[in-house]
């Protein structure tokens, strides 16, 4: 699988890349409003709630123990109110099965609870939690996507870097979450990842990994054209160069760059700057290409310059 990063022609981007630094961006700075935000869909799945009331609660509730405890309390009430017939009250209570009462009254309520206020609060908590902990490097599988060139290289005036797997840039061996240890493909769906309230109260490693895989690797269908790949790293692995702007850079090895592709409209000054740096011995292995319009089709061709 080939791996590419589209970049604009800004002087700072050219300098950073040629000095082997690249930004890992916090989710809320990315251009998707829904980035890394699940939605709170309920207390738990309908199946889990059914199991709770139909299997687990009957095991916990012992009707006779409840009745005995109630009888003790009732004796105190009768002492203060001698006109009350305790036996009549106990006969009524005996007809009530607590587990069925809970299942009838509480289970439908839990399934239909409106969690929108809690969902809004959850969004803020996710934003705050990721803000100072995780950064995302957005990559793609193609270097000839016309929309990507238009959107991310300022109208074909920038360039594309092709990376390889020779170093640690595309890995995250320090993460305890397995799905974040390697580069991953983004999935595109109509709905955001689901989150259930009960799970947030009693998280386990399996649930954390499944949620992380969903949250960091899922986007809306509108973004499908990007064919995005992602690397997630803890910001503690990066250097903070501007705390007020939240800019964190990761230093990678020169060997991790395979090729550079310049846009059809790249400025001559930037083109010469790139050519000059690639003449250095540390970059002797990197191929340099420039994009040109196809003579017939709506596509671009690349010609090798170095």
């Amino acid at each position: 699988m080939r791996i590419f990063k589209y970049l604009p022609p800004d002087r700072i981007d050219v300098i950073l890349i040629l000095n082997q630094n690249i930004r890992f961006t916090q989710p809320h700075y990315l251009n998707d409003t829904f980035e890394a935000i699940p939605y709170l869909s309920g207390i738990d799945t309908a199946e889990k709630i059914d199991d709770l009331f139909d299997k687990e609660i009957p095991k916990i509730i012992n009707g006779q123990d409840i009745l005995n405890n109630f009888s003790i309390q009732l004796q105190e009430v009768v002492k203060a109110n001698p006109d009350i017939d305790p036996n009549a009250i106990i006969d009524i209570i005996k007809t009530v099965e607590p587990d069925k009462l809970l299942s009838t009254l509480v289970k439908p309520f839990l399934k239909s609870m409106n969690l929108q206020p809690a969902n809004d609060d959850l969004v803020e908590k996710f934003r705050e939690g990721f803000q100072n902990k995780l950064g995302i490097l957005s990559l793609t599988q193609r270097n000839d996507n016309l929309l990507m060139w238009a959107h991310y290289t300022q109208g074909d005036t920038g360039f594309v870097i092709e990376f390889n797997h020779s170093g640690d840039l595309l890995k995250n061996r320090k993460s305890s979450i397995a799905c974040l240890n390697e580069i991953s493909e983004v999935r595109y769906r109509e709905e955001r990842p689901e989150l259930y309230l009960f799970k947030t109260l009693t998280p386990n490693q399996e649930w954390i990994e499944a949620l992380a895989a969903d949250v960091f690797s899922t986007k809306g269908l509108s973004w499908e054209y990007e064919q995005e790949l992602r690397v997630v790293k803890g910001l503690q692995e990066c250097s903070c160069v501007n705390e007020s702007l939240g800019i964190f850079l990761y230093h990678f090895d020169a060997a991790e760059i395979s090729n550079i592709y310049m846009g059809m409209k790249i400025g001559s000054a930037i083109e010469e700057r790139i050519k000059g740096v690639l003449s250095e011995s540390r970059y002797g292995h990197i191929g340099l290409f420039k994009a040109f319009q196809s003579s017939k089709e709506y596509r671009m061709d690349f010609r090798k310059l170095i």
Side-chain angles (χ1 to χ4, degrees):
M1 177 172 59
R2 300 178 70 185
I3 301 162
F4 304 95
K5 176 68 176 176
Y6 287 76
L7 291 163
D10 298 349
R11 180 173 177 272
I12 186 65
D13 284 303
V14 176
I15 292 173
L16 289 178
I17 288 297
L18 297 179
N19 282 304
Q20 300 155 233
N21 289 299
I22 195 163
R23 183 179 181 181
F24 275 76
T25 306
Q26 298 95 314
H28 77 283
Y29 284 131
L30 297 174
N31 57 1
D32 182 0
T33 304
F34 299 97
E35 192 66 64
I37 299 176
Y39 76 95
L40 189 61
S41 64
I43 292 291
D44 211 326
T45 64
E47 292 77 13
K48 292 286 187 181
I49 293 175
D50 285 337
D51 285 345
L52 175 66
F53 282 91
D54 299 342
K55 298 178 182 178
E56 301 303 323
I57 286 180
K59 294 178 185 176
I60 299 170
I61 293 179
N62 184 312
Q64 186 59 46
D65 290 340
I66 291 175
L67 187 59
N68 290 340
N69 292 334
F70 180 78
S71 297
I72 295 171
Q73 299 299 320
L74 185 59
Q75 290 173 14
E76 298 299 320
V77 174
V78 170
K79 287 180 183 179
N81 302 274
D83 294 335
I84 293 177
D85 181 0
N87 293 323
I89 294 177
I90 288 175
D91 286 342
I92 293 173
I93 295 298
K94 283 180 177 179
T95 65
V96 177
E97 298 180 57
D99 56 326
K100 292 184 179 179
L101 183 65
L102 286 172
S103 182
T104 301
L105 297 179
V106 180
K107 184 165 69 170
F109 171 73
L110 290 181
K111 286 184 175 181
S112 62
M113 277 185 70
N114 177 17
L115 295 176
Q116 187 57 47
N119 186 63
D120 295 340
D121 183 58
L122 178 74
V123 167
E124 291 306 313
K125 281 184 167 47
F126 263 79
R127 287 188 187 277
E128 293 170 6
F130 295 146
Q131 166 75 13
N132 299 313
K133 294 180 181 178
L134 297 172
I136 295 172
L137 175 61
S138 295
L139 305 159
T140 184
Q141 302 177 52
R142 293 183 58 181
N143 67 338
D144 60 352
N145 187 312
L146 299 183
L147 284 176
M148 296 279 281
W149 276 98
H151 294 167
Y152 295 111
T153 71
Q154 289 185 12
D156 295 271
T157 62
F159 57 105
V160 169
I161 305 289
E162 182 174 4
F163 291 104
N164 58 61
H165 291 273
S166 64
D168 289 332
L169 175 63
L170 305 182
K171 304 178 180 66
N172 185 14
R173 296 191 179 96
K174 296 183 180 180
S175 175
S176 61
I177 302 175
C179 67
L180 302 184
N181 285 333
E182 299 288 344
I183 190 169
S184 60
E185 292 188 31
V186 170
R187 299 183 294 264
Y188 301 95
R189 297 175 179 168
E190 289 189 1
E191 292 190 351
R192 287 149 56 189
E194 289 183 306
L195 186 63
Y196 294 101
L197 187 61
F198 279 176
K199 288 292 188 181
T200 66
L201 302 177
T202 57
N204 56 44
Q205 187 67 18
E206 181 181 358
W207 175 79
I208 291 172
E209 293 197 8
L211 178 63
D214 266 353
V215 167
F216 288 107
S217 300
T218 303
K219 295 188 70 171
L221 293 175
S222 300
W223 302 94
E224 195 167 9
Y225 77 95
E226 292 187 346
Q227 295 180 269
E228 187 177 350
L229 304 168
R230 287 192 160 179
V231 180
V232 180
K233 287 187 185 291
L235 294 180
Q236 74 276 7
E237 299 181 55
C238 304
S239 299
C240 180
V241 296
N242 191 318
E243 190 168 352
S244 63
L245 295 178
I247 296 176
F248 291 82
L249 302 178
Y250 183 85
H251 186 74
F252 59 91
D253 193 76
E256 295 181 76
I257 299 179
S258 297
N259 296 297
I260 294 178
Y261 303 85
M262 298 186 296
M264 289 183 278
K265 300 178 182 179
I266 194 167
S268 57
I270 295 177
E271 181 173 343
E272 292 307 312
R273 166 73 172 147
I274 292 174
K275 287 179 179 178
V277 173
L278 292 187
S279 66
E280 298 176 18
S281 59
R282 60 177 171 149
Y283 292 128
H285 64 285
I286 297 175
L288 180 63
F289 298 79
K290 188 171 183 179
F292 293 87
Q293 289 181 342
S294 167
S295 59
K296 181 179 179 180
E297 301 175 34
Y298 288 108
R299 65 177 175 82
M300 58 177 58
D301 297 319
F302 295 102
R303 298 175 191 171
K304 189 168 185 177
L305 304 181
I306 297 178

Short mmCIF file of all heavy atoms in Angstrom, two decimals, residues 56-109:
data_model
loop_
_atom_site.label_atom_id
_atom_site.label_comp_id
_atom_site.label_asym_id
_atom_site.label_seq_id
_atom_site.Cartn_x
_atom_site.Cartn_y
_atom_site.Cartn_z
N GLU A 56 -30.48 -11.17 34.93
CA GLU A 56 -29.62 -10.79 36.06
C GLU A 56 -30.40 -10.34 37.29
O GLU A 56 -30.11 -10.77 38.40
CB GLU A 56 -28.64 -9.68 35.62
CG GLU A 56 -27.75 -10.08 34.45
CD GLU A 56 -26.94 -11.32 34.76
OE1 GLU A 56 -26.50 -11.48 35.92
OE2 GLU A 56 -26.76 -12.14 33.85
N ILE A 57 -31.39 -9.46 37.08
CA ILE A 57 -32.14 -8.95 38.24
C ILE A 57 -32.89 -10.05 38.98
O ILE A 57 -32.87 -10.08 40.22
CB ILE A 57 -33.10 -7.82 37.79
CG1 ILE A 57 -32.28 -6.56 37.51
CG2 ILE A 57 -34.16 -7.53 38.86
CD1 ILE A 57 -33.07 -5.36 37.07
N PRO A 58 -33.52 -11.01 38.29
CA PRO A 58 -34.17 -12.11 39.04
C PRO A 58 -33.19 -12.89 39.92
O PRO A 58 -33.59 -13.45 40.96
CB PRO A 58 -34.75 -13.00 37.93
CG PRO A 58 -35.01 -12.05 36.81
CD PRO A 58 -33.86 -11.08 36.85
N LYS A 59 -31.92 -12.95 39.50
CA LYS A 59 -30.92 -13.65 40.33
C LYS A 59 -30.63 -12.87 41.60
O LYS A 59 -30.35 -13.43 42.65
CB LYS A 59 -29.62 -13.82 39.55
CG LYS A 59 -29.71 -14.74 38.35
CD LYS A 59 -28.37 -14.78 37.62
CE LYS A 59 -28.46 -15.60 36.34
NZ LYS A 59 -27.16 -15.56 35.59
N ILE A 60 -30.67 -11.54 41.48
CA ILE A 60 -30.33 -10.68 42.62
C ILE A 60 -31.49 -10.54 43.60
O ILE A 60 -31.31 -10.57 44.82
CB ILE A 60 -29.90 -9.29 42.11
CG1 ILE A 60 -28.66 -9.42 41.22
CG2 ILE A 60 -29.62 -8.33 43.26
CD1 ILE A 60 -28.31 -8.14 40.47
N ILE A 61 -32.68 -10.38 43.03
CA ILE A 61 -33.84 -10.14 43.88
C ILE A 61 -34.36 -11.45 44.46
O ILE A 61 -34.63 -12.40 43.74
CB ILE A 61 -34.96 -9.44 43.08
CG1 ILE A 61 -34.52 -8.04 42.71
CG2 ILE A 61 -36.26 -9.41 43.89
CD1 ILE A 61 -35.54 -7.28 41.89
N ASN A 62 -34.52 -11.49 45.75
CA ASN A 62 -35.13 -12.63 46.43
C ASN A 62 -36.41 -12.13 47.08
O ASN A 62 -36.36 -11.41 48.07
CB ASN A 62 -34.18 -13.20 47.49
CG ASN A 62 -34.74 -14.46 48.15
OD1 ASN A 62 -35.89 -14.50 48.56
ND2 ASN A 62 -33.91 -15.49 48.21
N GLY A 63 -37.55 -12.49 46.52
CA GLY A 63 -38.82 -11.96 46.98
C GLY A 63 -39.07 -12.18 48.46
O GLY A 63 -39.58 -11.30 49.15
N GLN A 64 -38.70 -13.36 49.01
CA GLN A 64 -38.97 -13.65 50.40
C GLN A 64 -38.15 -12.75 51.33
O GLN A 64 -38.63 -12.27 52.34
CB GLN A 64 -38.65 -15.13 50.71
CG GLN A 64 -39.05 -15.58 52.12
CD GLN A 64 -40.53 -15.41 52.38
OE1 GLN A 64 -41.35 -15.77 51.55
NE2 GLN A 64 -40.87 -14.82 53.52
N ASP A 65 -36.89 -12.51 50.96
CA ASP A 65 -36.05 -11.62 51.76
C ASP A 65 -36.63 -10.21 51.80
O ASP A 65 -36.65 -9.56 52.84
CB ASP A 65 -34.63 -11.57 51.21
CG ASP A 65 -33.89 -12.88 51.44
OD1 ASP A 65 -34.31 -13.65 52.33
OD2 ASP A 65 -32.90 -13.11 50.73
N ILE A 66 -37.10 -9.74 50.64
CA ILE A 66 -37.71 -8.42 50.58
C ILE A 66 -38.95 -8.37 51.46
O ILE A 66 -39.18 -7.41 52.19
CB ILE A 66 -38.08 -8.05 49.13
CG1 ILE A 66 -36.80 -7.83 48.31
CG2 ILE A 66 -38.96 -6.81 49.07
CD1 ILE A 66 -37.04 -7.58 46.84
N LEU A 67 -39.76 -9.46 51.40
CA LEU A 67 -40.98 -9.51 52.20
C LEU A 67 -40.66 -9.51 53.69
O LEU A 67 -41.31 -8.83 54.48
CB LEU A 67 -41.78 -10.76 51.82
CG LEU A 67 -43.18 -10.88 52.46
CD1 LEU A 67 -44.03 -9.68 52.06
CD2 LEU A 67 -43.84 -12.19 52.03
N ASN A 68 -39.65 -10.30 54.10
CA ASN A 68 -39.26 -10.34 55.50
C ASN A 68 -38.79 -8.98 55.99
O ASN A 68 -39.14 -8.54 57.10
CB ASN A 68 -38.17 -11.38 55.73
CG ASN A 68 -38.70 -12.81 55.58
OD1 ASN A 68 -39.91 -13.03 55.68
ND2 ASN A 68 -37.81 -13.75 55.31
N ASN A 69 -37.96 -8.32 55.16
CA ASN A 69 -37.48 -6.99 55.53
C ASN A 69 -38.64 -6.00 55.66
O ASN A 69 -38.66 -5.16 56.56
CB ASN A 69 -36.48 -6.47 54.50
CG ASN A 69 -35.18 -7.27 54.52
OD1 ASN A 69 -34.83 -7.85 55.55
ND2 ASN A 69 -34.48 -7.29 53.40
N PHE A 70 -39.59 -6.12 54.74
CA PHE A 70 -40.76 -5.24 54.79
C PHE A 70 -41.59 -5.50 56.04
O PHE A 70 -42.10 -4.58 56.68
CB PHE A 70 -41.62 -5.43 53.55
CG PHE A 70 -42.85 -4.55 53.52
CD1 PHE A 70 -42.74 -3.20 53.19
CD2 PHE A 70 -44.09 -5.06 53.86
CE1 PHE A 70 -43.87 -2.39 53.18
CE2 PHE A 70 -45.21 -4.25 53.85
CZ PHE A 70 -45.10 -2.91 53.51
N SER A 71 -41.74 -6.78 56.45
CA SER A 71 -42.53 -7.14 57.63
C SER A 71 -41.94 -6.51 58.89
O SER A 71 -42.68 -6.06 59.78
CB SER A 71 -42.57 -8.66 57.78
OG SER A 71 -43.23 -9.25 56.69
N ILE A 72 -40.62 -6.49 58.97
CA ILE A 72 -39.96 -5.88 60.13
C ILE A 72 -40.30 -4.39 60.21
O ILE A 72 -40.64 -3.86 61.27
CB ILE A 72 -38.44 -6.08 60.05
CG1 ILE A 72 -38.11 -7.58 60.17
CG2 ILE A 72 -37.72 -5.29 61.13
CD1 ILE A 72 -36.66 -7.91 59.90
N GLN A 73 -40.22 -3.71 59.04
CA GLN A 73 -40.56 -2.29 59.01
C GLN A 73 -42.04 -2.07 59.31
O GLN A 73 -42.42 -1.10 59.96
CB GLN A 73 -40.20 -1.70 57.63
CG GLN A 73 -38.73 -1.79 57.27
CD GLN A 73 -37.87 -1.03 58.26
OE1 GLN A 73 -38.23 0.06 58.70
NE2 GLN A 73 -36.71 -1.60 58.61
N LEU A 74 -42.89 -3.01 58.84
CA LEU A 74 -44.32 -2.89 59.03
C LEU A 74 -44.70 -2.99 60.51
O LEU A 74 -45.63 -2.32 60.98
CB LEU A 74 -45.05 -3.96 58.22
CG LEU A 74 -46.59 -3.90 58.21
CD1 LEU A 74 -47.05 -2.56 57.63
CD2 LEU A 74 -47.16 -5.05 57.38
N GLN A 75 -44.00 -3.80 61.25
CA GLN A 75 -44.26 -3.94 62.69
C GLN A 75 -44.10 -2.60 63.41
O GLN A 75 -44.88 -2.28 64.32
CB GLN A 75 -43.32 -4.97 63.30
CG GLN A 75 -43.62 -6.40 62.85
CD GLN A 75 -42.55 -7.37 63.35
OE1 GLN A 75 -41.75 -7.04 64.21
NE2 GLN A 75 -42.58 -8.58 62.79
N GLU A 76 -43.12 -1.83 63.01
CA GLU A 76 -42.92 -0.52 63.62
C GLU A 76 -44.08 0.42 63.28
O GLU A 76 -44.52 1.21 64.10
CB GLU A 76 -41.59 0.09 63.14
CG GLU A 76 -40.36 -0.72 63.50
CD GLU A 76 -40.21 -0.86 65.02
OE1 GLU A 76 -40.47 0.14 65.73
OE2 GLU A 76 -39.85 -1.96 65.48
N VAL A 77 -44.58 0.32 62.01
CA VAL A 77 -45.69 1.15 61.59
C VAL A 77 -46.95 0.81 62.38
O VAL A 77 -47.71 1.67 62.81
CB VAL A 77 -45.95 1.00 60.07
CG1 VAL A 77 -47.22 1.76 59.66
CG2 VAL A 77 -44.75 1.49 59.29
N VAL A 78 -47.20 -0.51 62.60
CA VAL A 78 -48.40 -0.97 63.31
C VAL A 78 -48.39 -0.49 64.75
O VAL A 78 -49.44 -0.16 65.34
CB VAL A 78 -48.50 -2.50 63.24
CG1 VAL A 78 -49.60 -3.01 64.17
CG2 VAL A 78 -48.80 -2.93 61.80
N LYS A 79 -47.21 -0.47 65.36
CA LYS A 79 -47.11 0.01 66.75
C LYS A 79 -47.62 1.44 66.85
O LYS A 79 -48.28 1.81 67.84
CB LYS A 79 -45.66 -0.05 67.22
CG LYS A 79 -45.15 -1.47 67.48
CD LYS A 79 -43.70 -1.41 67.93
CE LYS A 79 -43.14 -2.83 68.14
NZ LYS A 79 -41.71 -2.81 68.55
N ALA A 80 -47.32 2.25 65.87
CA ALA A 80 -47.76 3.65 65.90
C ALA A 80 -49.19 3.82 65.39
O ALA A 80 -49.83 4.83 65.67
CB ALA A 80 -46.81 4.50 65.07
N ASN A 81 -49.68 2.81 64.62
CA ASN A 81 -51.02 2.89 64.04
C ASN A 81 -51.73 1.56 64.26
O ASN A 81 -51.80 0.71 63.36
CB ASN A 81 -50.95 3.20 62.54
CG ASN A 81 -50.22 4.52 62.26
OD1 ASN A 81 -50.83 5.58 62.28
ND2 ASN A 81 -48.92 4.43 61.98
N PRO A 82 -52.30 1.34 65.45
CA PRO A 82 -52.90 0.03 65.80
C PRO A 82 -54.11 -0.34 64.95
O PRO A 82 -54.50 -1.51 64.91
CB PRO A 82 -53.30 0.22 67.28
CG PRO A 82 -53.33 1.69 67.51
CD PRO A 82 -52.33 2.29 66.57
N ASP A 83 -54.70 0.62 64.25
CA ASP A 83 -55.87 0.29 63.42
C ASP A 83 -55.48 -0.42 62.12
O ASP A 83 -56.34 -0.97 61.42
CB ASP A 83 -56.64 1.57 63.06
CG ASP A 83 -57.26 2.22 64.31
OD1 ASP A 83 -57.52 1.47 65.28
OD2 ASP A 83 -57.46 3.43 64.29
N ILE A 84 -54.20 -0.40 61.76
CA ILE A 84 -53.75 -1.03 60.52
C ILE A 84 -53.69 -2.54 60.71
O ILE A 84 -53.18 -3.05 61.71
CB ILE A 84 -52.36 -0.50 60.11
CG1 ILE A 84 -52.46 0.99 59.73
CG2 ILE A 84 -51.77 -1.32 58.98
CD1 ILE A 84 -51.14 1.61 59.37
N ASP A 85 -54.21 -3.29 59.71
CA ASP A 85 -54.15 -4.76 59.74
C ASP A 85 -52.90 -5.21 58.96
O ASP A 85 -52.90 -5.19 57.73
CB ASP A 85 -55.41 -5.34 59.10
CG ASP A 85 -55.40 -6.87 59.13
OD1 ASP A 85 -54.41 -7.46 59.64
OD2 ASP A 85 -56.37 -7.46 58.62
N PRO A 86 -51.82 -5.58 59.63
CA PRO A 86 -50.58 -5.94 58.94
C PRO A 86 -50.73 -7.16 58.03
O PRO A 86 -50.11 -7.23 56.97
CB PRO A 86 -49.60 -6.22 60.08
CG PRO A 86 -50.46 -6.56 61.25
CD PRO A 86 -51.71 -5.74 61.09
N ASN A 87 -51.58 -8.11 58.40
CA ASN A 87 -51.75 -9.32 57.58
C ASN A 87 -52.37 -8.99 56.22
O ASN A 87 -52.01 -9.59 55.20
CB ASN A 87 -52.62 -10.34 58.32
CG ASN A 87 -51.92 -10.88 59.55
OD1 ASN A 87 -50.70 -11.08 59.55
ND2 ASN A 87 -52.67 -11.10 60.63
N ALA A 88 -53.30 -8.04 56.21
CA ALA A 88 -53.94 -7.66 54.95
C ALA A 88 -52.91 -7.02 54.02
O ALA A 88 -52.91 -7.29 52.80
CB ALA A 88 -55.09 -6.69 55.22
N ILE A 89 -52.04 -6.18 54.57
CA ILE A 89 -51.01 -5.53 53.75
C ILE A 89 -50.03 -6.57 53.21
O ILE A 89 -49.64 -6.54 52.03
CB ILE A 89 -50.27 -4.46 54.58
CG1 ILE A 89 -51.25 -3.32 54.92
CG2 ILE A 89 -49.06 -3.92 53.81
CD1 ILE A 89 -50.65 -2.25 55.80
N ILE A 90 -49.63 -7.52 54.06
CA ILE A 90 -48.67 -8.54 53.62
C ILE A 90 -49.27 -9.41 52.52
O ILE A 90 -48.60 -9.80 51.56
CB ILE A 90 -48.23 -9.39 54.83
CG1 ILE A 90 -47.32 -8.54 55.72
CG2 ILE A 90 -47.51 -10.65 54.37
CD1 ILE A 90 -46.93 -9.23 57.01
N ASP A 91 -50.61 -9.70 52.64
CA ASP A 91 -51.25 -10.51 51.58
C ASP A 91 -51.18 -9.80 50.23
O ASP A 91 -51.00 -10.43 49.19
CB ASP A 91 -52.72 -10.76 51.97
CG ASP A 91 -52.85 -11.79 53.08
OD1 ASP A 91 -51.87 -12.53 53.30
OD2 ASP A 91 -53.91 -11.81 53.74
N ILE A 92 -51.32 -8.46 50.25
CA ILE A 92 -51.24 -7.70 49.00
C ILE A 92 -49.82 -7.73 48.45
O ILE A 92 -49.59 -7.95 47.25
CB ILE A 92 -51.69 -6.24 49.24
CG1 ILE A 92 -53.19 -6.20 49.58
CG2 ILE A 92 -51.40 -5.38 48.01
CD1 ILE A 92 -53.68 -4.83 50.00
N ILE A 93 -48.83 -7.52 49.35
CA ILE A 93 -47.43 -7.49 48.92
C ILE A 93 -47.01 -8.83 48.32
O ILE A 93 -46.22 -8.90 47.38
CB ILE A 93 -46.51 -7.13 50.11
CG1 ILE A 93 -46.80 -5.71 50.59
CG2 ILE A 93 -45.04 -7.27 49.74
CD1 ILE A 93 -46.54 -4.65 49.56
N LYS A 94 -47.58 -9.93 48.85
CA LYS A 94 -47.21 -11.27 48.34
C LYS A 94 -47.57 -11.46 46.88
O LYS A 94 -46.99 -12.31 46.19
CB LYS A 94 -47.90 -12.35 49.18
CG LYS A 94 -47.26 -12.58 50.54
CD LYS A 94 -48.00 -13.67 51.30
CE LYS A 94 -47.33 -13.97 52.63
NZ LYS A 94 -48.04 -15.01 53.41
N THR A 95 -48.56 -10.69 46.41
CA THR A 95 -48.97 -10.83 45.00
C THR A 95 -48.04 -10.09 44.05
O THR A 95 -48.15 -10.26 42.84
CB THR A 95 -50.40 -10.29 44.81
OG1 THR A 95 -50.40 -8.88 45.05
CG2 THR A 95 -51.37 -10.96 45.76
N VAL A 96 -47.12 -9.29 44.60
CA VAL A 96 -46.21 -8.50 43.76
C VAL A 96 -44.89 -9.24 43.57
O VAL A 96 -44.28 -9.68 44.53
CB VAL A 96 -45.93 -7.12 44.40
CG1 VAL A 96 -44.93 -6.34 43.56
CG2 VAL A 96 -47.24 -6.34 44.56
N GLU A 97 -44.48 -9.42 42.34
CA GLU A 97 -43.18 -10.01 42.04
C GLU A 97 -42.24 -8.88 41.63
O GLU A 97 -42.38 -8.31 40.56
CB GLU A 97 -43.31 -11.02 40.90
CG GLU A 97 -44.24 -12.19 41.26
CD GLU A 97 -44.36 -13.17 40.13
OE1 GLU A 97 -43.31 -13.69 39.68
OE2 GLU A 97 -45.50 -13.39 39.66
N PRO A 98 -41.27 -8.55 42.51
CA PRO A 98 -40.42 -7.36 42.28
C PRO A 98 -39.72 -7.34 40.93
O PRO A 98 -39.64 -6.31 40.28
CB PRO A 98 -39.41 -7.43 43.43
CG PRO A 98 -40.11 -8.21 44.49
CD PRO A 98 -40.95 -9.21 43.76
N ASP A 99 -39.20 -8.51 40.49
CA ASP A 99 -38.47 -8.53 39.23
C ASP A 99 -39.39 -8.21 38.05
O ASP A 99 -39.02 -7.49 37.12
CB ASP A 99 -37.76 -9.87 39.03
CG ASP A 99 -38.73 -11.04 39.10
OD1 ASP A 99 -39.69 -10.95 39.88
OD2 ASP A 99 -38.50 -12.04 38.39
N LYS A 100 -40.64 -8.72 38.11
CA LYS A 100 -41.59 -8.45 37.03
C LYS A 100 -42.06 -7.00 37.07
O LYS A 100 -42.30 -6.38 36.04
CB LYS A 100 -42.78 -9.41 37.10
CG LYS A 100 -42.40 -10.85 36.77
CD LYS A 100 -43.60 -11.75 36.76
CE LYS A 100 -43.19 -13.19 36.39
NZ LYS A 100 -44.35 -14.09 36.38
N LEU A 101 -42.18 -6.47 38.30
CA LEU A 101 -42.59 -5.08 38.44
C LEU A 101 -41.53 -4.16 37.82
O LEU A 101 -41.85 -3.23 37.08
CB LEU A 101 -42.77 -4.74 39.92
CG LEU A 101 -43.27 -3.33 40.25
CD1 LEU A 101 -44.68 -3.13 39.70
CD2 LEU A 101 -43.24 -3.09 41.75
N LEU A 102 -40.26 -4.43 38.11
CA LEU A 102 -39.17 -3.63 37.55
C LEU A 102 -39.13 -3.76 36.03
O LEU A 102 -38.94 -2.79 35.31
CB LEU A 102 -37.83 -4.07 38.14
CG LEU A 102 -37.55 -3.63 39.58
CD1 LEU A 102 -36.28 -4.29 40.09
CD2 LEU A 102 -37.42 -2.12 39.67
N SER A 103 -39.32 -5.01 35.55
CA SER A 103 -39.27 -5.25 34.12
C SER A 103 -40.39 -4.51 33.39
O SER A 103 -40.20 -3.98 32.30
CB SER A 103 -39.36 -6.75 33.84
OG SER A 103 -39.26 -7.00 32.46
N THR A 104 -41.56 -4.46 34.02
CA THR A 104 -42.72 -3.81 33.40
C THR A 104 -42.61 -2.30 33.42
O THR A 104 -42.93 -1.63 32.43
CB THR A 104 -44.01 -4.24 34.13
OG1 THR A 104 -44.13 -5.66 34.07
CG2 THR A 104 -45.23 -3.60 33.49
N LEU A 105 -42.13 -1.74 34.53
CA LEU A 105 -42.14 -0.28 34.68
C LEU A 105 -40.82 0.39 34.28
O LEU A 105 -40.82 1.45 33.67
CB LEU A 105 -42.46 0.07 36.15
CG LEU A 105 -43.84 -0.36 36.66
CD1 LEU A 105 -44.01 0.05 38.12
CD2 LEU A 105 -44.95 0.24 35.81
N VAL A 106 -39.70 -0.24 34.64
CA VAL A 106 -38.40 0.42 34.48
C VAL A 106 -37.76 0.14 33.12
O VAL A 106 -37.18 1.02 32.50
CB VAL A 106 -37.44 0.02 35.62
CG1 VAL A 106 -36.09 0.73 35.46
CG2 VAL A 106 -38.06 0.36 36.97
N LYS A 107 -37.85 -1.12 32.67
CA LYS A 107 -37.18 -1.48 31.42
C LYS A 107 -37.62 -0.62 30.23
O LYS A 107 -36.76 -0.08 29.51
CB LYS A 107 -37.39 -2.97 31.12
CG LYS A 107 -36.65 -3.43 29.87
CD LYS A 107 -36.55 -4.94 29.78
CE LYS A 107 -37.87 -5.60 29.52
NZ LYS A 107 -37.73 -7.04 29.20
N PRO A 108 -38.92 -0.42 29.99
CA PRO A 108 -39.31 0.45 28.86
C PRO A 108 -38.79 1.88 29.02
O PRO A 108 -38.44 2.53 28.03
CB PRO A 108 -40.84 0.41 28.90
CG PRO A 108 -41.17 -0.85 29.62
CD PRO A 108 -40.09 -1.01 30.65
N PHE A 109 -38.75 2.34 30.26
CA PHE A 109 -38.25 3.70 30.51
C PHE A 109 -36.78 3.83 30.12
O PHE A 109 -36.38 4.80 29.47
CB PHE A 109 -38.44 4.04 32.00
CG PHE A 109 -37.77 5.32 32.41
CD1 PHE A 109 -38.28 6.55 32.02
CD2 PHE A 109 -36.62 5.29 33.18
CE1 PHE A 109 -37.66 7.74 32.40
CE2 PHE A 109 -35.99 6.47 33.55
CZ PHE A 109 -36.52 7.70 33.16
#
